[in-house]
Amino acid sequence: MTPPPTGNGGESLTAHQLLRKLAPDYYQRFGSSMPGRHREVFRRILACRTPALGGQLFECPDCCGYHYRYHSCNDRHCPQCGQTDAEAWLRQQRARLLLPVPYFLVTFTVPEQLRRFIRSHQQIALDLLFASSAQALQELAGNPRRLGAELGMLGVLHTWSRTLIYHPHVHYLVPGGGLSLDRRQWVAARHGFLLPVKPLGARFRTVFKERLQKQHPDLYREVPAKVWKRHWNVDSRPAGSGENALRYLSRYVFKTATSNRLVPVLPGGKVRWNYRESQTGRPSAIDLEPLDFVNRFLQHILPRGFARVRTFGWLHPAAKVRANRVRALLREKPLLTPAEHQAWNLPREPAAPRPAETTSAPGAAPLCPRCRKVMFLVGEWKGAEVIIYPKRPP
């Protein structure tokens, strides 16, 4: 497919197409110094939906047209993958997390001087980011002068800004209230207010410092001393029913830094990255050197097995009894496993309706682009292995 023009003599490529185009030059210049994890993930992304991963061959029963569908890499960093998984995750979390109370979106951000340290020690530092921010929230909420209750929290890590620079922060979706410390009642937060952000930021900084100093004293000495004197920013804002905030967070649970959006490539070779200013919402753009774009993307690759999404308090999987206590206090049905439904002979909840599909579902046989008939699978391959299916009778 011919890339669409940009209107200034350049072309527009999807993020994945652009990464594939720039990969040879990037490997030639930085290949010998690439971290092993970056090399591993980048190789998978570049092979996504190409013949290298194999695929399936479909034939139309009417016009005898053929269609190839290549396999996806299913890597969580890939711009092309994860959409179906994100939609399934959103449906599941909507049923499990959203309660009939107001919600808040609370975001914890570290000072700029700490970002390089975190990027160099991601496994340790990002774990500390989660643990320290969650502890700060729970400690302030547990103070009887504040809320006097235990919170339930869903945390999602983002490491990028709107311009793809390294900017680690954690978003928490928090119900506006909590379970009283004696676990007998629901304590509602004040209207439009959860917890004061300045004490939250101060406690966040203190807990991060104490944990790092105690658990990793050698790494603690690498952190510039001025970091501990800076203000650590926390933003807390009402999120209504929580539905829109949850949908926003779901977009990047199975994707990293960017979707497979169109990226303009200017005539001189630079990459134009369009974004919206966070404060004003106005559209803006920066022009990047091609390999700088690749660098900005690769720096957001997470360590293998790192959990980007975590739950705390009575939303933690090990706190099911407390979670159902909260649901009972709010007159909501308890969360039951399939085995519990069967043991108590309860009717299963009907599945939430899905939006109508205008194309064939992912994984299903595609529609012929010419006559719109369902095509038949006639062969598939993975690497060097090829499987040819017998012809269907007419």
Side-chain angles (χ1 to χ4, degrees):
M1 185 179 75
T2 303
T6 61
N8 52 19
E11 61 179 356
S12 290
L13 303 175
T14 66
H16 186 263
Q17 289 172 333
L18 183 56
L19 289 172
R20 283 181 55 83
K21 179 179 179 179
L22 299 176
D25 288 344
Y26 189 86
Y27 275 124
Q28 184 176 2
R29 183 168 179 182
F30 301 110
S32 60
S33 60
M34 284 180 70
R37 175 66 175 158
H38 287 192
R39 186 186 298 274
E40 168 196 349
V41 172
F42 199 29
R43 183 171 57 247
R44 279 202 297 268
I45 291 175
L46 295 178
C48 183
R49 300 184 192 177
T50 70
L53 292 185
Q56 298 171 315
L57 175 62
F58 293 87
E59 181 182 9
C60 178
D62 280 11
C63 66
C64 296
Y66 286 94
H67 172 73
Y68 290 95
R69 183 164 65 190
Y70 301 119
H71 292 152
S72 300
C73 68
N74 292 320
D75 193 285
R76 61 176 170 170
H77 304 91
C78 180
Q80 295 193 118
C81 296
Q83 182 60 37
T84 302
D85 292 331
E87 292 169 358
W89 181 88
L90 178 59
R91 289 193 298 270
Q92 180 185 24
Q93 299 306 318
R94 186 188 288 121
R96 190 174 76 89
L97 296 179
L98 296 186
L99 297 167
V101 298
Y103 277 76
F104 292 84
L105 189 64
V106 185
T107 304
F108 288 79
T109 306
V110 299
E112 183 178 354
Q113 295 81 356
L114 192 60
R115 295 174 191 170
R116 182 182 294 272
F117 170 82
I118 293 178
R119 188 174 58 183
S120 300
H121 308 283
Q122 289 191 78
Q123 185 70 59
I124 291 171
L126 293 177
D127 273 335
L128 282 175
L129 179 56
F130 262 121
S132 304
S133 55
Q135 181 178 335
L137 271 169
Q138 290 289 25
E139 287 183 356
L140 260 72
N143 187 333
R145 293 184 300 169
R146 307 291 189 189
L147 187 63
E150 178 193 15
L151 299 176
M153 304 174 292
L154 169 74
V156 179
L157 171 72
H158 288 177
T159 60
W160 55 90
S161 71
R162 296 175 185 233
T163 57
L164 299 184
I165 64 172
Y166 196 76
H167 180 64
H169 54 283
V170 178
H171 295 292
Y172 286 99
L173 185 61
V174 188
L179 185 62
S180 64
L181 301 183
D182 62 6
R183 301 184 182 176
R184 293 186 177 185
Q185 59 182 330
W186 172 260
V187 181
R190 288 157 48 188
H191 178 70
F193 179 84
L194 182 65
L195 293 167
V197 293
K198 286 190 176 180
L200 266 179
R203 187 58 186 153
F204 172 39
R205 178 187 59 200
T206 299
V207 174
F208 191 102
K209 178 181 179 181
E210 290 175 348
R211 283 176 174 264
L212 182 62
Q213 195 170 20
K214 180 178 180 180
Q215 299 172 12
H216 307 281
D218 51 333
L219 296 182
Y220 173 79
R221 290 188 286 271
E222 295 184 19
V223 179
K226 59 184 177 182
V227 163
W228 312 119
K229 300 176 182 178
R230 297 294 301 272
H231 172 67
W232 288 37
N233 187 57
V234 179
D235 179 78
S236 177
R237 60 187 63 187
S241 67
E243 173 73 28
N244 290 337
L246 187 62
R247 184 180 294 109
Y248 163 73
L249 295 178
S250 73
R251 295 175 192 167
Y252 293 99
V253 169
F254 298 95
K255 208 178 294 290
T256 296
T258 179
S259 62
N260 201 29
R261 58 191 277 189
L262 285 175
V263 183
V265 180
L266 304 181
K270 287 192 174 183
V271 173
R272 174 157 294 170
W273 185 256
N274 296 308
Y275 67 99
R276 288 189 177 273
E277 297 283 354
S278 57
Q279 298 297 325
T280 64
R282 294 177 180 174
S284 188
I286 56 170
D287 294 342
L288 303 172
E289 294 295 335
L291 299 190
D292 184 30
F293 170 77
V294 181
N295 266 325
R296 290 194 183 206
F297 176 82
L298 292 180
Q299 68 182 337
H300 302 295
I301 292 175
L302 294 174
R304 184 185 292 106
F306 187 88
R308 176 187 289 164
V309 181
R310 306 185 186 189
T311 49
F312 300 89
W314 43 265
L315 284 177
H316 190 276
K320 182 181 174 183
V321 172
R322 301 205 302 280
N324 279 335
R325 178 64 176 160
V326 167
R327 297 181 74 88
L329 291 169
L330 295 174
R331 301 184 182 278
E332 290 287 299
K333 294 180 180 179
L335 296 173
L336 302 176
T337 65
E340 289 169 335
H341 272 282
Q342 185 176 6
W344 296 347
N345 294 318
L346 294 174
R348 296 294 300 273
E349 291 290 331
R354 300 189 184 188
E357 296 175 346
T358 57
T359 60
S360 56
L367 301 180
C368 177
R370 285 188 287 183
C371 57
R372 309 305 296 169
K373 296 293 182 66
V374 176
M375 305 183 82
F376 294 133
L377 178 65
V378 296
E380 59 183 316
W381 75 97
K382 183 176 182 180
E385 180 183 359
V386 179
I387 303 173
I388 302 297
Y389 293 101
K391 280 268 188 183
R392 288 178 174 267

